[in-house]
Amino acid sequence: MNSSIEIGVGEKMKVAVAAMLTASHPVISVNGNICSLVPEELVELSEITNAPLEINLFYYRKEREDAILKALDDAGAKEVLGTHDRPSTTIPELSSNRRKVDPDGIGLADLVLVPLEDGDRTEALSKIGKFVITIDLNPISRTAVYSNITIVDNVIRTMPLMVQYAREMSNLSRDELKDIVDGFDNLTNIRNALNLMIENLSSKASLSLEELKEGKK
Amino acid sequence: MNSSIEIGVGEKMKVAVAAMLTASHPVISVNGNICSLVPEELVELSEITNAPLEINLFYYRKEREDAILKALDDAGAKEVLGTHDRPSTTIPELSSNRRKVDPDGIGLADLVLVPLEDGDRTEALSKIGKFVITIDLNPISRTAVYSNITIVDNVIRTMPLMVQYAREMSNLSRDELKDIVDGFDNLTNIRNALNLMIENLSSKASLSLEELKEGKK
């Protein structure tokens, strides 16, 4: 195993990248939020992990699709799936517009990275057997508990690190990558996030009013 | 002491009401958020506690003031301070529009109820010696830690209860009300809120993935 790949602080992100690199058909689901926050990182991660970008909107409007497409194009995207001029199929379990998916994208995917979306989508994808990776600040949201890998963190911090790890890890062997994924347990991961929150709150509960006013950690 | 006034679940709200009922010049600060959520409760609480309503906006626009004024009028408000046609004075410590206050309202007040606003305002009011009551979901926000009484709760749940308690407590003697306020310590209150969060998170951390998916408490 490449000794430069330490599973520590960025553990979940590295596991997520390893899962993307070993998937047969990984796909990155893109909505307006994630696209406006980290368009370049979406395109870079898509290229390094060979995971097509697919636009999926909860409230579809042609103008929104166009705006997202333009942002991805400006960030250097060569191909974007899920647009209105593409073929579409539906996935069960979802009643909103987002049941429509691209047959060459999420329709075919064995793994979907769903950054910054709602719980409906994660639950539906999980129920039809997709391996789902999400990024969510809340470790016990529906998104978080229905995912295979939940990165409990801010997308602004997460996505650039995932790009960096994807670069570093792309020369690892398939076995090395699989070991990283197999060693991961999402319930333990969620509990670790909860325990970190408990630790922080406990330390706040020991501060004086003056220390709280100063914003002491 | 009136035995019907138990200091338990609604403790902070009862203490807040007692403080309002014993203040010489209590004032309720109103912005768009609180006004759109609980206009009737603002008017009722104002009447029972004899605390004028004063409009204070972070981003002043005549249209916003008019909309708030209309909502308060529709809810039965007889008088609203802080409007553009009223005299205004400024309070130190604040650089935004909200340093403007009504000389007959916050300018004169010994106590200000500031529901659902940002930390700047609470800190400024606290620094010029006002007794400040706030309602905030975050027990360690700047608003929360600079307040004299922080009600860590949702305004939708809090305001109707405050109205109810104000009705029940308005016949208590001044000494009884003062005892309630004197027995309150906001740091203990903040720590209790933190401990409740810690307790809830700890119970979540003991659940299985299936229980988390079912939304078990």
Side-chain angles (χ1 to χ4, degrees), chain B residues 27 54 89-91 101-110 112 128 130:
Chain B
V27 169
E54 175 170 338
T89 180
T90 61
I91 55 173
V101 296
D102 195 308
D104 296 328
I106 292 174
L108 181 73
D110 55 344
V112 189
I128 57 170
K130 310 287 186 191

Side-chain angles (χ1 to χ4, degrees), chain B residues 7 11-16 131 147-151 178-190 192:
Chain B
I7 302 293
E11 179 183 17
K12 290 88 58 182
M13 302 172 204
K14 286 175 184 165
V15 178
F131 188 99
S147 298
N148 296 84
I149 300 172
T150 309
I151 300 169
K178 277 204 164 299
D179 279 350
I180 293 174
V181 178
D182 290 345
F184 180 79
D185 176 63
N186 206 35
L187 179 58
T188 304
N189 169 44
I190 286 171
N192 287 346

